[in-house]
């Protein structure tokens, strides 16, 4: 009896520690997110000095004003939307039919195709041969260089294939075939309407990936009017910062001017981070269920 | 007689005939499935196997006007040049140490966090904590780099303010080579630890509640139940993820490194993949950097196979 009481006491202590631990993890992630939002609408002086540490101080919307006035951000935004929509459409058109075919046990050659696809998970030609290929295909500096070389991901094909295999009853396919339904009709009229969860998951995974990618644009695009948002962000967030640090000898007035310029630059940075991340962050809580589902379907296989 | 003859030949013909006919029939019956798989097939053939064909320039002196096949062979010259270069050991060390550092910190944290989430009984708090810790996963690598640079900026970043408020001298995170790896690894943990819990939580949701009930009756404490029921449940998932991680030891998250790299921290931030990018696409030394990339891929593939083999010998969980 006594030991039983002792146990629960220990359990309570453990539970409290656990809550504290989770709360600290929550704070560590949450604080920078809130800080960014507050910093984007605070007077940059207070942000730089550390006086603004949680809630906005000296509210100003200058940062956002400058972001909205900046044409390269808008061009980038437009390009990103275009690349994301076209890219994700291609991703789905390649991934879903292939995954469905691979999920069919009566598909002769499925092991061959699966094996061929899986090899690419573990071995790749590397950066330069891929670049030369894209160049040879004449896709440099076009949208196609962004959307075609990343048309499918083997991981997502596996996840969708697992979904088709585990969630679509086999009897459905058999019944449809007895009725003389072709595979094409079966897929479009019966399988796809039943597969809305996986279509949503795939659209989200690919969509977020396309929205956030910068590297293929960096190596394949050289016309700044075609730059996606992430590449514009790179110029604002990363490159500018580095050039601002390498200052030479400067007198007091230029120092003051540079100082205020640096402050405005910092303000713009926070604003631009918010503007660029907003679409993803806003839709995310509503779609979290689907994202989580996607990861779980993937893990069933393992 | 006549009849039996036809029967014999008929049966003889039938055996291979039926298998063949069945195979072709099955193929013909599902011909549309080949159309379904065709886009993916050609995609991987061209964009994954195509570059593999291009790897041969690692053993050649690639001359753009002569093309891949027309360029002269040079054997292992590029590899030798790389292995004997003064930066070879630095690159290898940076790549390996960043990966292992990341593995040592980034691998256990999602597991611990998942175990902790699993013990939270308050539904609202659990959901809130999960939603918030998953969120950074969706932040792009460029924005992530921008955040790191802003937060760690000397005299203005909030992390610097916190360190100074605690009475310490804040290091120059962005330019000090000694801090690059820590900055890289910890920011990675911040971004992906929450998301990494999902796969473990999925495994934990499969634990038989009866096991816990029995353990409670036996007087097991919460901690003991985690130790002896929950953790063993996670071992298969952990093993698979560990193997996959080992297979990409030399494939560190190079997009982020490239963004955080600057001339001052180069001595600890230059890894094989960023070097390949620089020498290959910036300096256009196509053959040389293809050779380095190939070296990298081969080591990765070998590591994956070896680790998988070792794990298969010692436990039932392995990739194949």
């Amino acid at each position: 009896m006594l030991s039983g009481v002792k146990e629960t006491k220990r359990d309570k202590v453990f539970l409290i520690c656990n809550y504290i631990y989770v709360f600290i993890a929550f704070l560590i992630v949450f604080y920078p997110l809130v800080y960014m939002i507050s910093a984007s609408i605070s007077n940059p002086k207070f942000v730089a000095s550390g006086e603004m540490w949680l809630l906005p101080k000296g509210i100003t919307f200058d940062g956002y004003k400058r972001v909205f006035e900046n044409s390269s951000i808008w061009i980038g935004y437009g390009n990103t939307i275009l690349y994301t929509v076209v890219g994700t459409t291609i991703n789905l058109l390649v991934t879903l039919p292939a995954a469905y075919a691979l999920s069919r046990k009566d598909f002769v050659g499925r092991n061959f195709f699966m094996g061929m696809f899986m090899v690419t998970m573990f071995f790749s030609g590397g950066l330069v041969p891929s670049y030369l290929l894209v160049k040879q295909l004449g896709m440099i500096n076009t949208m196609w260089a962004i959307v075609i070389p990343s048309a499918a991901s083997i991981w997502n094909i596996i996840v969708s294939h697992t979904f088709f295999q585990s969630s679509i009853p086999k009897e459905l396919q058999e019944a449809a075939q007895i009725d003389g339904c072709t595979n094409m009709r079966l897929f479009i009229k019966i399988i796809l309407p039943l597969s809305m969860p996986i279509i949503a998951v795939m659209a989200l995974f690919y969509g977020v990936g396309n929205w956030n990618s910068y590297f293929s644009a960096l190596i394949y695009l050289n016309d700044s009017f075609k730059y996606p948002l992430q590449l514009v962000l790179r110029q604002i967030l990363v490159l500018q910062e580095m050039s601002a640090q390498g200052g030479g000898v400067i007198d007091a007035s230029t120092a003051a001017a540079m100082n205020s310029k640096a402050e405005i630059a910092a303000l713009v940075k926070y604003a631009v981070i918010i503007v660029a991340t907003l679409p993803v962050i806003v839709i995310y809580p509503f779609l979290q269920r689907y994202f989580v589902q996607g990861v779980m379907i993937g893990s069933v296989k393992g | 007689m006549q009849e039996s003859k036809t029967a014999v030949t008929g049966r003889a013909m039938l055996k291979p005939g039926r298998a063949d006919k069945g195979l072709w029939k099955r193929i013909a019956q599902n011909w549309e499935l080949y159309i379904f798989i065709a886009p993916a097939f050609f995609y991987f053939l061209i964009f994954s196997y195509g570059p593999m064909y291009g790897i041969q320039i690692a053993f050649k002196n690639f001359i753009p006007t002569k093309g891949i096949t027309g360029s002269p062979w040079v054997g292992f010259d590029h590899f030798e040049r790389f292995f004997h270069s003064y930066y070879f050991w630095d690159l290898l060390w940076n790549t390996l140490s960043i990966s292992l550092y990341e593995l040592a910190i980034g691998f256990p944290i999602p597991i611990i966090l998942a175990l902790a989430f699993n013990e939270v009984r308050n539904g609202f708090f659990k959901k809130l904590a999960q939603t918030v810790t998953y969120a950074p996963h969706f932040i792009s690598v460029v924005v992530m780099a921008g955040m790191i640079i802003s937060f760690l900026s000397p005299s203005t970043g909030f992390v610097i303010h916190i360190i100074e408020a605690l009475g310490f001298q804040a290091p120059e995170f962005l330019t000090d080579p000694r801090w690059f790896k820590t900055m890289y690894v910890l920011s990675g943990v911040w971004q992906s630890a929450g998301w990494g819990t999902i796969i473990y939580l999925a495994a934990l949701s499969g634990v038989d509640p009866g096991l816990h009930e029995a353990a409670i009756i036996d007087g097991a404490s919460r901690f003991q139940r985690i130790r002896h029921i929950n953790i063993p449940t996670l071992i298969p998932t952990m093993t698979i993820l560990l193997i996959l991680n080992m297979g990409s030891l030399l494939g560190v998250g190079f997009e982020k490194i490239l963004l955080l790299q600057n001339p001052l921290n180069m001595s600890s931030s230059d890894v094989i993949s960023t070097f390949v990018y620089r020498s290959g696409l910036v300096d256009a030394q196509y053959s040389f950097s293809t050779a380095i990339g190939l070296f990298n891929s081969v080591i990765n593939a070998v590591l994956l196979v070896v680790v998988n083999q070792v794990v298969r010998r010692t436990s039932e969980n392995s990739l194949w």
Side-chain angles (χ1 to χ4, degrees):
Chain A
M1 192 67 210
L2 203 83
S3 79
V5 173
K6 226 174 155 187
E7 288 293 315
T8 54
K9 210 175 221 168
R10 226 169 61 189
D11 274 2
K12 259 185 193 149
V13 172
F14 178 76
L15 254 189
I16 290 168
C17 289
N18 189 61
Y19 269 94
I20 293 172
Y21 173 74
V22 172
F23 187 68
I24 289 173
F26 163 79
L27 271 190
I28 290 173
V29 177
F30 194 55
Y31 180 69
L33 299 176
V34 175
Y35 179 89
M36 275 194 300
I37 296 171
S38 297
S40 74
I41 52 171
S42 294
N43 186 329
K45 258 194 196 66
F46 296 133
V47 177
S49 66
E51 279 172 81
M52 192 297 293
W53 63 275
L54 181 63
L55 295 174
K57 200 168 181 186
I59 290 186
T60 164
F61 291 96
D62 250 23
Y64 288 97
K65 219 178 93 194
R66 279 167 195 272
V67 169
F68 289 117
E69 282 166 359
N70 187 326
S71 65
S72 65
I73 291 178
W74 286 115
I75 294 170
Y77 226 96
N79 287 336
T80 290
I81 293 173
L82 176 70
Y83 300 160
T84 302
V85 169
V86 174
T88 308
T89 309
I90 293 176
N91 293 146
L92 293 180
L93 289 177
V94 175
T95 301
L96 293 173
Y100 175 66
L102 289 173
S103 76
R104 285 274 295 265
K105 291 242 157 61
D106 57 342
F107 175 45
V108 179
R110 66 198 282 257
N111 289 333
F112 163 76
F113 288 113
M114 200 56 155
M116 176 199 161
F117 296 174
M118 296 272 271
V119 167
T120 66
M121 246 174 146
F122 306 116
F123 195 78
S124 78
L127 181 66
V128 173
S130 305
Y131 173 80
L132 291 177
L133 176 74
V134 170
K135 198 172 168 185
Q136 207 174 20
L137 294 173
M139 298 200 292
I140 296 285
N141 210 17
T142 67
M143 174 176 78
W144 307 115
I146 309 297
V147 295
I148 303 282
S150 57
S153 115
I154 174 62
W155 178 247
N156 284 342
I157 290 182
I158 293 175
V159 171
S160 327
H161 139 274
T162 310
F163 175 88
F164 287 131
Q165 213 159 45
S166 59
S167 309
I168 308 281
K170 242 185 90 182
E171 292 76 23
L172 212 61
Q173 169 219 326
E174 282 160 6
Q177 279 177 333
I178 288 166
D179 289 347
C181 181
T182 63
N183 278 316
M184 192 67 81
R185 265 179 67 90
L186 171 71
F187 181 62
I188 292 169
K189 295 267 155 129
I190 300 172
I191 307 292
L192 282 186
L194 286 174
S195 308
M196 279 308 158
I198 197 66
I199 297 174
V201 168
M202 287 298 118
L204 291 170
F205 276 0
Y206 279 125
V208 170
N210 291 331
W211 184 275
N212 283 343
S213 90
Y214 86 96
F215 189 68
S216 51
L218 174 69
I219 59 178
Y220 296 133
L221 298 182
N222 28 42
D223 179 355
S224 63
F225 283 101
K226 292 178 182 160
Y227 280 0
L229 184 60
Q230 299 298 334
L231 220 48
V232 179
L233 287 180
R234 175 175 168 266
Q235 291 175 326
I236 296 172
L237 296 175
V238 180
L239 300 182
Q240 193 179 320
E241 177 71 29
M242 288 308 160
S243 63
Q245 273 177 2
V249 186
I250 36 176
D251 59 78
S253 64
T254 20
M258 271 183 70
N259 212 10
S260 76
K261 218 176 146 186
E263 277 174 358
I264 289 168
L267 181 65
V268 169
K269 265 182 208 170
Y270 288 115
V272 89
I273 285 177
I274 302 293
V275 170
T277 317
L278 207 62
V280 179
I281 293 290
V282 164
I283 60 162
Y284 154 71
F286 300 101
L287 302 174
Q288 187 193 348
R289 197 160 59 88
Y290 292 107
F291 281 116
V292 172
Q293 217 172 8
V295 176
M296 288 193 181
I297 295 169
S299 69
V300 169
K301 214 234 160 193
Chain B
M1 184 65 195
Q2 189 82 354
E3 216 179 275
S4 82
K5 200 182 168 192
T6 45
V8 168
T9 49
R11 202 185 309 152
M13 299 254 314
L14 214 76
K15 227 183 172 186
R18 189 164 52 191
D20 255 359
K21 207 175 141 201
L23 182 70
W24 287 114
K25 206 180 147 197
R26 276 188 294 156
I27 291 176
Q29 203 172 34
N30 287 327
W31 63 273
E32 284 159 307
L33 295 182
Y34 297 92
I35 296 180
F36 286 180
I37 207 150
F41 173 76
F42 286 111
Y43 165 70
F44 284 111
L45 189 69
I46 296 169
F47 288 97
S48 295
Y49 288 86
M52 288 185 206
Y53 171 78
I55 281 178
Q56 56 177 284
I57 66 170
F59 307 96
K60 289 181 162 184
N61 247 341
F62 180 64
I63 301 160
T65 50
K66 288 193 176 168
I68 290 173
T69 28
S71 301
W73 292 96
V74 295
F76 285 88
D77 279 11
H78 298 300
F79 293 91
E80 269 172 41
R81 191 178 133 208
F82 178 55
F83 296 146
H84 292 135
S85 66
Y86 66 94
Y87 42 72
F88 172 71
W89 290 108
D90 282 349
L91 285 179
L92 195 63
W93 164 247
N94 283 339
T95 311
L96 272 178
S97 60
I98 290 179
S99 288
L100 289 173
Y101 191 178
E102 195 178 24
L103 197 62
I105 309 277
F107 190 74
I109 287 184
I111 301 172
I112 299 167
L113 201 57
L115 290 168
F117 278 156
N118 199 48
E119 296 302 313
V120 175
R121 290 286 163 263
N122 182 322
F124 173 75
F125 177 59
K126 187 175 179 178
K127 203 158 184 263
L128 180 73
Q130 282 180 303
T131 305
V132 168
T133 50
Y134 295 172
H137 174 76
F138 298 100
I139 293 175
S140 77
V141 60
V142 175
V143 167
M144 194 62 212
M147 284 168 60
I148 295 170
I149 291 169
S150 291
F151 292 166
L152 299 180
S153 276
S155 77
T156 59
F158 88 77
V159 177
I160 306 292
H161 290 313
I162 292 176
I163 293 173
E164 279 170 355
L166 294 173
F168 296 103
Q169 170 86 36
E172 299 253 346
F173 290 106
L174 297 169
T175 50
D176 189 340
R178 281 173 301 171
W179 281 95
F180 179 82
K181 286 164 188 161
T182 303
M183 173 174 86
Y184 174 83
V185 168
L186 292 186
S187 63
V189 168
W190 182 82
Q191 183 166 24
S192 51
W195 189 253
T197 62
I198 295 176
I199 197 160
Y200 293 112
L201 286 170
L204 284 174
S205 68
V207 174
D208 177 9
L211 279 177
H212 280 287
E213 282 159 22
I216 291 170
I217 292 168
D218 288 346
S221 71
R222 247 170 203 284
F223 185 73
Q224 282 171 321
R225 280 187 283 129
I226 292 175
R227 166 80 185 73
H228 296 287
I229 300 175
N230 288 352
I231 291 181
T233 309
L234 295 183
I235 298 247
T237 314
M238 279 158 60
T239 316
I240 299 285
L241 290 183
L242 195 63
I243 299 173
L244 287 174
N245 272 317
M246 295 302 283
S248 53
L249 267 193
L250 291 193
V252 285
F254 115 95
E255 296 198 347
K256 194 165 97 186
I257 295 185
L258 195 64
L259 291 169
L260 291 173
Q261 219 169 40
N262 59 53
L264 295 170
N265 65 21
M266 209 62 157
S267 63
S268 77
S269 69
D270 207 14
V271 294
I272 295 177
S273 45
T274 54
F275 185 80
V276 167
Y277 167 72
R278 240 185 11 261
S279 70
L281 297 188
V282 180
D283 301 339
Q285 302 185 50
Y286 293 136
S287 284
F288 181 55
S289 70
T290 303
I292 303 170
L294 177 59
F295 164 74
N296 200 345
S297 314
V298 167
I299 301 266
N300 274 343
V302 169
L303 271 174
L304 187 76
V305 173
V306 168
V307 173
N308 191 61
Q309 221 58 333
V310 169
V311 172
R312 198 162 64 171
R313 292 264 164 85
T314 52
S315 76
E316 305 111 61
N317 309 302
S318 63
L319 274 183
W320 65 83

